């Protein structure tokens, strides 16, 4: 009974450690290092990495940029929301607010876009379904990432950060068309 | 003058003040567990889409209360009891500053009630995390602050007790491993509470109008400095409880004091990192920060947990083998006391924490993999494996030990106690596995309606997601049933259990101690060092615990396979840079 008694040896530090533990610590350490190195490895060779590009912004400033894009590139309307088709490779904007993702984007498959995301009010969660890409959208910050949709079809942005009573109706759309 | 009683069954010495405080804290913890469990039932019955019990506003209110009561109040009350046990009882010393300890307890009670009232009033449904700029009522934050101050006082009483024990030389040699683990937990707790103060005090001032603006991104980083490390207090505490229980049940000694203590030291050094787990997909944080922080600096805290994962069952195996259970790889495990809830609770806690909680935690805390997991229902699945099973079940198992030892009562309805760990962990495991599955399909956490009723645009999750949430619902109900069984046994034991001492009164369970005649003012005999083994086995050529090694390798294989499956899944989503 010594897990709750003082160690049997006054100098427990110099009691030799069993082989089994030494081997296990070695194996576990190697595994930990592999897991650690996987992250930088993926930055170099993987395709799904978040950029750390972000800017402080204000809801008004971001809204203005979104409105400019909508005015310039609107191609349609769905459920009262503009559908916007910005040029390939351009800066595209989507904002989260209580309780919608605005506007609807139409993108071309296999083309890169610089996607800017921000919130007008509280935290929101950008959860692109059914792809399952999830990002945290924070008011006052504009996140910029280069995204290349590699599937065509209809995609939904679910809000997956709690944002009040209407949280569950907060949906957005991204259409990806074959070019 | 300090007064002690000795428990004739276990040989533990209880200082009267410490004893009353342990009882009060443990009972308070159980009350908040009851609240948390009932609220949890509301949550899971709403997430089960075919049942969809609560309206949206009540759901978010209940979810807020569930998280705070389970993750903060239940666990920290119980942990304070453990700190007093690991210092005063294990070291046979009087508790430092009992009046301060009662003050701390009172503050924790006031804080917990204040916070619950704020949530109950309905204008503080902000989730446990209360991300600014979403604002709760001022007493929501004030309650948490008071609770934290109370808990901090508890930690200081613990440290003071260690100092007294050392001054009075109440023990020979070094502190026991269990106490060492408790010290780890308390150090992490101080760090946690400091982070909490840094973020909650300004947030409180903001809620009453003294501070104009709380930066939403900064809030998340610092809040999680508290939120994540608070869960690490639990890890350190329940690992200590595991060591205590294998010692009590099997007379097990650590395979190596050095290795186990080094593993705890790694917790102290690295476990407070990992606030980044929660902000991996936030804007603006550099990859270097995320990689370093999320991995606890090269996964050194994960290494520590993997070490405990070997040495806890390993020490049990060694003790069992010494008793002659040496047949094959697993006789030591097969012939373990599976009908004793102290053992079954401990062992299920260990297995589920390791296989479900540990593996999923590391996987989703990987910088890039988090992209496919963040804020899905995978996340609560993970922390129900770590906290709701790992920590909570370990504490339940400890409770079954404390009913006779601390409360001096016979267990009420022993058959129910016997089944409780199985029912609870079966239910929770079912819920966890299917929530993990639903999360992989993208189902969101903290979401009232997966049908999106009333949304202008439409979206449907695949049918499998609904099935998975339904099975999770069944599991959750079973888990709550297991929780109710625990409370029936514990409350029943305190009220109706046969008294093991004649002098024990009804109120004993609520902090009123035994009749004074049971106590003596004599300082207990100095705590001796553990007896030396006749044959020193450490360092011998063979493996002392081959069965455990096989289990550990099995864990590792599951870990590696699951880890790379998730990389593969990540590689299939849209390229981002």
């Amino acid at each position: 009974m010594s897990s709750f008694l003082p160690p049997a040896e006054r100098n427990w530090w110099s009691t030799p450690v069993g082989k089994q533990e030494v081997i296990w610590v070695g194996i576990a350490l190697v595994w930990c290092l592999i897991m650690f190195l996987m992250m930088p490895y993926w930055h170099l060779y993987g395709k799904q990495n978040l950029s750390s590009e972000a800017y402080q912004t204000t809801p008004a400033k971001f809204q203005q940029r979104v409105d400019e894009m909508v005015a310039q590139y609107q191609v349609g309307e769905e459920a009262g929301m503009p559908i916007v088709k910005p040029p390939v490779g351009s800066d595209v904007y989507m904002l989260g607010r209580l309780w919608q993702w605005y506007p609807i984007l139409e993108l071309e498959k296999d083309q890169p876009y610089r996607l800017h995301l921000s919130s007008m009010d509280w935290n929101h969660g950008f959860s692109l379904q059914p792809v399952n890409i999830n990002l945290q959208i924070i008011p006052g910050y504009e996140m910029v990432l280069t995204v290349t949709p590699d599937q065509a079809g209809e995609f939904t942005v679910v809000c997956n950060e709690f944002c009040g009573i209407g949280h569950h109706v907060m949906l957005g759309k991204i259409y990806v068309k074959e070019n | 003058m300090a007064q002690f009683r000795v428990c004739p069954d276990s040989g533990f010495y209880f200082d009267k003040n410490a004893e009353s405080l342990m009882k009060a804290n443990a009972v308070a913890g159980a009350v908040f567990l009851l609240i948390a469990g009932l609220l949890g039932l509301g949550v899971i019955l709403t997430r089960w889409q075919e049942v969809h019990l609560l309206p949206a506003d009540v759901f978010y209110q209940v979810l807020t209360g569930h998280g705070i009561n389970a993750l903060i109040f239940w666990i920290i009350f119980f942990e304070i009891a453990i700190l007093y046990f690991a210092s005063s009882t294990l070291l046979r010393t009087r508790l430092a500053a009992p009046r301060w300890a009662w003050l701390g307890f009172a503050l924790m009670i006031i804080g917990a009630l204040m916070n619950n009232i704020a949530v109950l009033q309905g204008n503080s449904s902000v989730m446990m995390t209360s991300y600014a700029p979403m604002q709760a009522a001022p007493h929501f934050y004030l309650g948490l602050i008071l609770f934290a101050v109370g808990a901090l006082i508890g930690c200081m009483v613990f440290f003071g007790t260690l100092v007294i024990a050392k001054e009075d030389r109440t023990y020979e040699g070094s502190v026991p491993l269990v106490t060492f683990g408790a010290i780890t937990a308390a150090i992490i707790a101080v760090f946690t509470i400091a982070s909490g103060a840094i973020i909650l005090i300004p947030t409180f001032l903001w809620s009453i109008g003294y501070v104009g603006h709380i930066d939403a991104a900064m809030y998340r980083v610092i809040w999680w400095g508290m939120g994540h490390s608070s869960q690490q207090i639990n890890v350190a505490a329940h690992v200590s409880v595991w060591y205590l229980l294998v010692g009590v049940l099997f007379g097990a000694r650590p395979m190596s004091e050095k290795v186990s203590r080094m593993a705890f030291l790694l917790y102290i050094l690295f476990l407070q990192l990992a606030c980044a787990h929660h902000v991996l997909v936030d804007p603006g944080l550099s990859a270097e920060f995320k990689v370093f922080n999320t991995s606890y600096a090269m996964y050194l805290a994960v290494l520590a947990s993997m070490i405990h994962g070997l040495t806890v069952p390993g020490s049990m195996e060694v003790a069992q083998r010494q008793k002659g259970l040496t047949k094959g790889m697993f006789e030591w495990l097969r012939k373990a006391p599976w009908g004793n809830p102290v053992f079954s609770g401990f062992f299920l806690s260990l297995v589920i924490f390791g296989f479900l909680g540990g593996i999923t935690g590391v996987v989703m805390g990987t910088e890039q993999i988090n992209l496919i997991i963040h804020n899905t229902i995978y996340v609560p699945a993970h922390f129900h494996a770590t906290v709701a099973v790992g920590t909570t079940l370990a504490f339940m198992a400890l409770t079954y030990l404390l009913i006779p030892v601390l409360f001096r009562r016979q267990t009420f309805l022993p058959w129910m106690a016997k089944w409780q760990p199985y029912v609870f962990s079966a239910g929770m495991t079912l819920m966890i596995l299917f929530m993990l599955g639903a999360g992989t399909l993208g189902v969101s956490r903290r979401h009232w309606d997966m049908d999106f009723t009333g949304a202008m645009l439409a979206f449907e999750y695949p049918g499998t997601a609904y099935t998975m949430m339904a099975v999770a619902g069944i599991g959750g109900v079973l888990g709550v049933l297991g929780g109710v069984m625990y409370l029936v046994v514990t409350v029943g034991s305190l009220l109706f259990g046969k008294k093991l001492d004649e002098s024990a009164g009804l109120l004993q369970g609520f902090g009123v101690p035994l009749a004074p005649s049971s106590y003596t003012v004599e300082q207990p005999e100095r705590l001796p060092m553990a007896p030396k083994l006749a044959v020193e086995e450490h360092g011998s050529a063979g493996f002392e615990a081959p069965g455990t090694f096989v289990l550990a390798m099995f864990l590792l294989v599951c870990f590696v396979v699951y880890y790379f499956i998730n990389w593969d899944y990540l590689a299939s989503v849209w390229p981002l840079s």
Side-chain angles (χ1 to χ4, degrees):
Chain A
M1 297 212 283
S2 92
S3 65
F4 55 88
L5 288 179
E9 299 288 337
R10 208 167 272 278
N11 187 1
W12 46 267
W13 182 259
S14 43
T15 309
V17 177
K19 189 163 116 189
Q20 177 173 355
E21 280 172 289
V22 174
I23 292 174
W24 176 247
V25 172
I27 294 172
L29 184 62
V30 168
W31 173 235
C32 288
L33 290 176
I34 291 173
M35 289 195 297
F36 180 69
L37 292 174
M38 269 309 285
M39 292 186 281
Y41 168 82
W42 201 262
H43 273 286
L44 295 175
Y45 301 104
K47 288 196 181 129
Q48 291 79 15
N49 288 292
L50 216 47
S51 79
S52 54
E53 186 178 351
Y55 304 95
Q56 283 197 307
T57 183
T58 61
K61 253 198 278 181
F62 195 78
Q63 173 92 54
Q64 197 193 343
R65 311 265 288 279
V66 174
D67 290 342
E68 280 166 14
M69 177 188 73
V70 171
Q72 233 177 328
Y73 301 116
Q74 179 166 1
V75 292
E77 204 181 87
E78 182 183 338
M81 183 118 56
I83 301 174
V84 179
K85 189 178 180 190
V88 164
S90 71
D91 289 83
V92 300
Y93 298 83
M94 186 181 263
L95 63 81
R97 65 184 167 208
L98 307 175
W99 287 285
Q100 54 180 217
W101 292 104
Y102 178 93
I104 295 171
L105 298 175
E106 191 179 308
L107 308 177
E108 276 184 32
K109 184 171 174 267
D110 294 325
Q111 299 296 331
Y113 292 87
R114 272 168 59 83
L115 177 62
H116 299 240
L117 296 162
S118 188
S119 161
M120 297 293 101
D121 31 58
W122 290 340
N123 272 261
H124 293 291
F126 176 98
S127 176
L128 187 69
Q129 299 299 335
V131 187
N132 208 8
I133 289 173
N134 303 279
L135 304 166
Q136 185 81 22
I137 309 305
I138 300 180
Y141 290 85
E142 176 177 345
M143 180 187 239
V144 189
L145 53 142
T146 304
V147 52
T148 314
D150 60 1
Q151 300 156 290
E154 178 185 337
F155 299 92
T156 304
V157 183
V158 174
C159 178
N160 72 359
E161 182 60 79
F162 171 65
C163 58
I165 193 71
H167 172 46
H168 66 279
V169 301
M170 182 165 169
L171 294 180
K173 288 281 173 198
I174 295 179
Y175 293 104
V176 181
K177 298 269 162 81
E178 298 273 0
N179 45 347
Chain B
M1 200 66 197
Q3 298 185 45
F4 292 89
R5 77 165 169 89
V6 63
C7 164
D9 301 324
S10 61
F12 286 127
Y13 281 88
F14 287 95
D15 165 51
K16 195 170 169 180
N17 288 316
E19 184 188 18
S20 305
L21 279 154
M22 278 182 243
K23 287 176 180 173
N25 278 286
V27 170
V31 170
F32 287 102
L33 178 67
L34 171 69
I35 300 173
L38 293 177
L39 296 175
L41 186 64
V43 173
I44 196 69
L45 285 179
T46 308
R47 294 303 315 250
W48 181 354
Q49 193 67 20
E50 285 76 20
V51 180
H52 209 51
L53 182 71
L54 302 172
D57 55 340
V58 182
F59 170 74
Y60 292 125
Q61 191 181 4
V62 160
L63 184 52
T64 304
H66 170 64
I68 296 173
N69 282 294
L71 280 171
I72 301 179
F73 301 149
W74 139 247
I75 287 200
I76 292 185
F77 271 116
F78 205 90
E79 277 164 353
I80 296 289
I82 290 175
L83 287 186
Y84 295 159
F85 182 87
S87 54
S88 167
T89 306
L90 289 185
L91 298 179
R92 296 187 178 177
T93 184
R94 71 184 168 86
L95 192 77
R99 279 162 201 257
W100 279 94
W102 281 113
L103 173 68
F105 177 73
L107 283 173
M108 287 166 73
I109 291 280
I110 294 168
L113 290 178
M114 190 184 279
N115 178 278
N116 268 297
I117 288 167
V119 174
L120 199 63
Q121 285 169 336
N123 50 359
S124 298
S125 302
V126 293
M127 303 293 126
M128 185 179 96
T129 45
S130 56
Y131 293 138
M134 187 183 276
Q135 200 176 59
H139 52 302
F140 176 92
Y141 306 108
L142 188 61
L144 291 177
I145 292 167
L146 291 179
F147 184 86
V149 171
L152 188 61
I153 293 175
C155 291
M156 293 307 152
V157 170
F158 167 76
F159 289 125
T161 307
L162 295 178
V163 171
I164 291 175
K166 182 135 185 100
E167 294 261 295
D168 293 355
R169 303 198 56 230
T170 62
Y171 58 96
E172 294 279 351
S174 308
V175 296
L177 179 62
V178 175
T179 309
F180 193 88
I183 295 172
T184 305
I187 291 172
I188 298 175
V190 172
F191 172 87
T192 300
I193 293 168
S195 309
I198 293 171
I199 195 64
L200 284 177
I201 292 172
T203 308
F204 167 67
L205 294 175
W206 168 67
S207 73
I208 56 173
Y210 277 105
V211 169
H213 175 71
I214 297 280
D215 185 275
M218 175 216 64
Y219 179 95
R220 283 172 50 80
V221 173
I222 303 178
W223 194 93
W224 281 113
M226 168 183 71
H228 202 92
S229 9
S230 74
Q231 303 317 308
Q232 316 297 18
I233 310 172
N234 305 339
V235 176
H238 77 230
V239 172
S240 310
V241 169
W242 290 344
Y243 278 115
L244 173 69
L245 294 180
V246 289
V248 172
L249 286 162
F250 303 103
R253 58 178 64 217
M255 294 170 79
S256 154
E257 294 277 357
K258 178 155 98 176
V259 171
S260 295
R261 282 168 204 245
M262 285 302 284
F264 275 124
L265 186 66
L266 288 176
Y267 278 167
I268 297 177
L269 295 177
F270 299 108
L271 209 51
Q272 301 92 326
L273 294 175
C275 68
H277 283 189
H278 307 264
V279 296
L280 288 172
V281 295
D282 278 26
L285 297 169
S286 75
E288 292 81 3
F289 162 76
K290 288 193 278 193
V291 168
F292 177 80
N293 183 299
T294 199
S295 68
Y296 310 98
M298 300 196 291
Y299 289 105
L300 293 175
V302 174
L303 175 67
S305 287
M306 288 174 79
I307 292 172
H308 291 307
L310 179 87
T311 59
V312 172
S315 61
M316 169 187 160
E317 181 176 352
V318 171
Q320 289 279 74
R321 282 181 185 273
Q322 277 164 2
K323 284 183 203 133
L325 299 172
T326 52
K327 234 181 277 160
M329 278 292 184
F330 296 113
E331 195 192 18
W332 61 275
L333 188 57
R334 252 193 349 266
K335 296 208 171 149
W338 292 98
N340 178 352
V342 181
F343 173 73
S344 58
F346 143 70
F347 200 78
L348 290 166
S349 149
L350 174 81
V351 169
I352 296 170
F353 178 81
F355 278 85
L356 292 180
I359 293 179
T360 57
V362 175
V363 166
M364 73 180 193
T366 305
E367 189 206 347
Q368 296 92 341
I369 294 179
N370 191 259
L371 272 168
I372 54 174
I373 294 177
H374 179 73
N375 272 358
T376 65
I377 202 153
Y378 189 103
V379 177
H382 153 74
F383 68 70
H384 278 79
T386 55
V387 185
V389 182
T391 308
T392 298
L393 190 54
F395 290 0
M396 287 171 167
L398 177 61
T399 312
Y400 295 125
L401 175 73
L402 292 180
I403 288 170
V405 170
L406 173 64
F407 292 95
R408 299 301 293 147
R409 294 277 179 159
Q410 239 171 32
T411 305
F412 177 68
L413 301 182
W415 63 268
M416 190 182 274
K418 180 178 159 181
W419 284 104
Q420 189 273 331
Y422 295 101
V423 174
F424 182 72
S425 51
M428 295 306 277
T429 303
L430 199 62
M431 183 184 91
I432 291 160
L433 286 173
F434 283 86
M435 275 164 58
L436 290 173
T440 309
L441 294 174
V443 175
S444 163
R445 71 184 288 203
R446 294 176 167 177
H447 199 281
W448 174 63
D449 185 12
M450 64 192 284
D451 281 339
F452 309 99
T453 312
M456 289 194 294
L457 301 162
F459 175 64
E460 252 180 65
Y461 283 112
T464 340
Y466 284 85
T467 315
M468 288 196 174
M469 290 307 289
V471 180
I474 294 167
V477 172
L478 199 59
V480 171
L481 179 69
V484 169
M485 287 164 75
Y486 166 77
L487 289 164
V488 167
V489 171
T490 48
V491 176
S493 300
L494 301 196
L495 295 179
F496 315 116
K498 187 168 164 279
K499 291 174 206 166
L500 295 170
D501 293 314
E502 278 313 303
S503 54
L506 176 69
L507 290 175
Q508 192 196 355
F510 298 96
V512 180
L514 294 170
S517 59
S518 323
Y519 293 87
T520 154
V521 292
E522 267 174 60
Q523 171 67 34
E525 201 182 318
R526 185 172 300 162
L527 182 69
M529 298 200 296
K532 287 194 175 54
L533 283 175
V535 187
E536 190 53 69
E537 277 177 309
H538 292 303
S540 62
F543 274 19
E544 309 116 294
T548 303
F549 198 79
V550 170
L551 293 178
M553 289 307 292
F554 178 60
L555 172 82
L556 184 68
V557 170
C558 295
F559 199 166
V560 173
V561 170
Y562 187 69
Y563 181 75
F564 285 109
I565 286 177
N566 275 277
W567 277 110
D568 193 47
Y569 175 25
L570 175 71
S572 74
V573 308
W574 292 5
L576 303 166
S577 57

